[in-house]
Amino acid sequence: MEPIDIGLWVTGSMLVLVLLGMRVAFAAGLAGMVGLIWIFWAKKDYGLDDFGWALGVAVKTAGQVPHSKVSSQALSLIPTFILIGYLAYYAGLTKALFEAAKRWIAWVPGGLAVSTVFATAGFAAVSGASVATSAVFARIAIPEMLKIGYDKRFAAGVVAAGGTLASLIPPSAILVIYAIIVEQDVGKLLLAGFIPGAFSALIYGLLIIGLALTIKGFGPPVGGFTWRERLVALPPALPIVFVVVVIICFVYNPFGGDAWGTPTEGGAIGAFVVFLMALYQGMRWSQLKDALIETAKLSVMIFTIIWGVLIYVRFLGFADLPGAFSDWITALTMSPMLILICILLAYAVLGMFMDAIGMLLLTLPVVYPAIMALNGGAFVSAADSTFGMSGPMCAIWFGILVVKMAEFCLITPPIGLNCFVVAGVRDDLSVQDVFKGVTPFFIADAITIALLVAFPAIVLWLPSLA
Amino acid sequence: MATASLVLSDDSALSRLDHMLLRLERGLALASGLAVFSLMVLAVVSVGGRNLFSSPLPGYVDWIEQAMPLIAFMGASYVMREGGHIRMDIIVGQLRGRLLYLVELITTLAVLVLMVLLVWGSWAHFQRSFDFAAPKWSRDSAMDTALPLGPAILLAPVAFGVLCVRLCLQVWAFGRAALTGQAVAVPLIADAAKQAQMEADQLQSSVKDAN
């Protein structure tokens, strides 16, 4: 059997294991391990005496992956970003943000819903987790919206959709993971997420204002805050602005001159500020301990899936499956843009059933090289490329697109996790109610993705400066 | 994402062993969390030293690389106990009773096989680096600080070993559940709504504590 056939069999079996509910990290690791044994044994023509040799070589090849791949400085960003998110609860940033957004923005039509979107976007800046963002704001924002007469389904939809903003606005753990898997510059990817994230929030805001202007009795503006009240609401929410600005300045110095340091340092300084804030708010050791254990849990979960998938990737290298897939994609006679759109649609379908991180890690080792080949190769110049951008820029653009797709899937039926979370928090709402309420945002997201595909400059302008 | 766990207990030996192992696992997870905290402190010292006193922390990157395996591996068993590793439960979520436990038994056994092989592989990786005759017993050392890499490499087989013990317990527990229909000491699948409720409760209590 040819290596490529072994690759297909092993990949197929891995998908069956994942469907059967085996944890993704271990299904990928096992597939990689079995695949390596198979390929080495096949080289010796399946001699009975050679099985032990093949097993030994495969085990030693796979055994060095976990340590050698996780001990990188770039990956240390992930636990730091997660720590910021957990400490943010104790720093009281959620309420502070909602209050500030309400006092500053709620005077526009549909004001409280718009404030909720911007508060979730702000919270996204300290939390990488969409689901947690939705859960927190379901408690804070929905009751306030219901009080002034919003439709409860729409109020729930706003919170479910707002939560999805978390993974584009820096610090975003999922963008770091993407950068590691495709071996691109972490800092540039983090920068690239900022404008599309803010842009998504803006589109959501415009959509709500549009609905408020056209539908009667939609939800009145909330006004009457004095400038003094507005200014007082700002300082408690400032650490969030600080975190974003510090991370950006540590990657690219907008004031001219060198960047202040590495993204890792930026993330850690941000975490330290939020930590001081939490201490000021009265965080105790038992709460810090909980935050640390929760950080460890989420980090371990992500690292396990990273090394598991990298064992599988090591095997894929031997089987040359990514090469074969790239050849097949580039040989298609369809227009490259149409192929890209088909791939994004496939992600939309896959994302309905799978967790974003699992989905990206399992598919990127095969899909990413194909996209790069479609653009003309990893080192192509913008002038010679298919999509009009250099190899590294194409990598950034595609990363933002797939992450946005993965987020889109958090609000699509049948398993839009954010909608389940909001329905779970509110006893008076069914999941169907939330799905109904979130439908307009669904359209807003489709528009955002179309714009990001049509105008790559929205994504690439900021990283091209760095 | 990491969610609150749903693990039942009773007064069986299995459940007692589960709780004993859980204490060790929580300790290891806390060590991993403290390593994250130390990353933050290291960066503050490094950036502060560089900008305020013009003396950066020597070997900053080496220390990060030493801390990473601690963060990445030590909590693996704890997360397995809590059922936190990502999976797709669209099919197993539909199964009930003994059939469910049987499928869980098979997939857990498969994970155990992988982890036993990885304990072997990561131990072999450690052995390549470890040498009694070499300075600091290590053939590999970090670039700036000459820190021996051996201890960090050893963390992988140690953490994977603990995970293997956890997996043995889970194989036993799922096997028992497949026979008796009663599952203890293993994470149960909560439906999405229940899971969301637990997660929200957990967050709510955190927020309450903080305020």
Side-chain angles (χ1 to χ4, degrees), chain B residues 144-185:
Chain B
D144 294 342
T145 50
L147 284 172
L149 291 183
I153 298 176
L154 183 62
L155 291 177
V158 169
F160 292 172
V162 178
L163 178 56
C164 284
V165 176
R166 166 56 63 191
L167 287 164
C168 289
L169 269 186
Q170 290 193 340
V171 166
W172 175 9
F174 280 125
R176 198 179 91 144
L179 290 175
T180 63
Q182 298 294 318
V184 289

Side-chain angles (χ1 to χ4, degrees), chain A residues 16 71 105 131 210 264 291 316 342 359 364 366 379 398 417 462:
Chain A
V16 171
S71 12
I105 315 173
V131 179
T264 312
L316 280 184
C342 288
M359 173 177 91
L364 282 174
V366 177
F379 303 105
F398 183 64
L417 207 52
L462 204 49

Side-chain angles (χ1 to χ4, degrees), chain A residues 20-21 23-24 59 64 67 71 89-90 131 139 260 265 268 287 294 296-297 300-301 303-304 353 420-421 424-425, chain B residues 29 43 50 65 68 71 78 83-87 90 92 117 121 153 192 196-197 199-200 202-204 209-210:
Chain A
L20 274 178
R23 315 269 164 192
V24 173
V59 163
Q64 51 180 295
H67 174 266
S71 12
Y89 297 125
Y90 297 104
V131 179
R139 302 260 184 184
W260 296 358
E265 289 170 338
Q287 292 162 338
E294 287 303 316
K297 263 170 77 174
V300 163
M301 201 188 83
F303 281 117
T304 308
F353 306 99
F420 278 92
V421 168
V425 173
Chain B
R50 195 173 61 214
E65 290 179 356
M68 286 307 288
I71 297 167
Y78 179 60
H85 288 291
I86 297 174
R87 69 143 136 198
I90 189 163
V92 279
L117 291 176
I153 298 176
Q197 182 67 52
E199 192 163 314
Q202 200 180 353
L203 285 176
Q204 186 64 9
D209 287 349

Side-chain angles (χ1 to χ4, degrees), chain A residues 25 296-306 355 357, chain B residues 1-3 72 79 84-86:
Chain A
K297 263 170 77 174
L298 197 50
S299 309
V300 163
M301 201 188 83
I302 293 174
F303 281 117
T304 308
I305 196 164
I306 288 177
D355 178 274
I357 295 174
Chain B
M1 290 287 129
T3 47
V79 178
H85 288 291
I86 297 174

Side-chain angles (χ1 to χ4, degrees), chain A residues 149-375:
Chain A
Y150 276 83
D151 179 72
K152 68 176 180 184
R153 286 173 299 188
F154 184 75
V158 171
V159 173
T164 67
L165 298 170
S167 52
L168 283 177
I169 297 175
S172 157
I174 198 163
L175 278 176
V176 179
I177 297 170
Y178 174 86
I180 303 290
I181 292 292
V182 306
E183 296 178 335
Q184 289 293 328
D185 188 313
V186 177
K188 285 189 176 173
L189 262 154
L190 286 176
L191 271 188
F194 183 69
I195 292 180
F199 186 71
S200 299
L202 196 68
I203 298 254
Y204 281 177
L206 290 176
L207 173 89
I208 296 169
I209 294 175
L211 288 173
L213 288 175
T214 46
I215 301 172
K216 226 176 169 188
F218 177 82
V222 181
F225 292 107
T226 63
W227 279 103
R228 195 186 144 74
E229 281 171 328
R230 286 180 182 167
L231 289 173
V232 168
L234 283 184
L238 273 185
I240 287 176
V241 182
F242 180 83
V243 169
V244 182
V245 170
V246 160
I247 289 175
I248 289 182
C249 289
F250 270 79
V251 178
Y252 152 69
N253 188 350
F255 311 111
D258 291 338
W260 296 358
T262 62
T264 312
E265 289 170 338
I269 300 286
F272 187 64
V273 170
V274 179
F275 169 65
L276 291 182
M277 180 95 188
L279 279 185
Y280 176 72
Q281 294 283 344
M283 183 179 64
R284 301 290 173 83
W285 162 243
S286 63
Q287 292 162 338
L288 176 62
K289 198 169 101 177
D290 283 349
L292 290 179
I293 290 187
E294 287 303 316
T295 304
K297 263 170 77 174
L298 197 50
S299 309
V300 163
M301 201 188 83
I302 293 174
F303 281 117
T304 308
I305 196 164
I306 288 177
W307 62 250
V309 166
L310 286 174
I311 293 177
Y312 169 66
V313 169
R314 179 71 56 101
F315 153 70
L316 280 184
F318 283 98
D320 198 31
L321 199 60
F325 186 67
S326 296
D327 291 347
W328 179 71
I329 286 276
T330 44
L332 290 175
T333 49
M334 287 154 75
S335 103
M337 189 53 93
L338 196 59
I339 297 174
L340 175 74
I341 291 170
C342 288
I343 288 177
L344 291 179
L345 287 177
Y347 272 113
V349 176
L350 198 56
M352 288 177 185
F353 306 99
M354 264 190 100
D355 178 274
I357 295 174
M359 173 177 91
L360 290 188
L361 279 166
L362 274 186
T363 54
L364 282 174
V366 177
V367 174
Y368 171 77
I371 293 290
M372 296 307 275
L374 208 56
N375 188 45

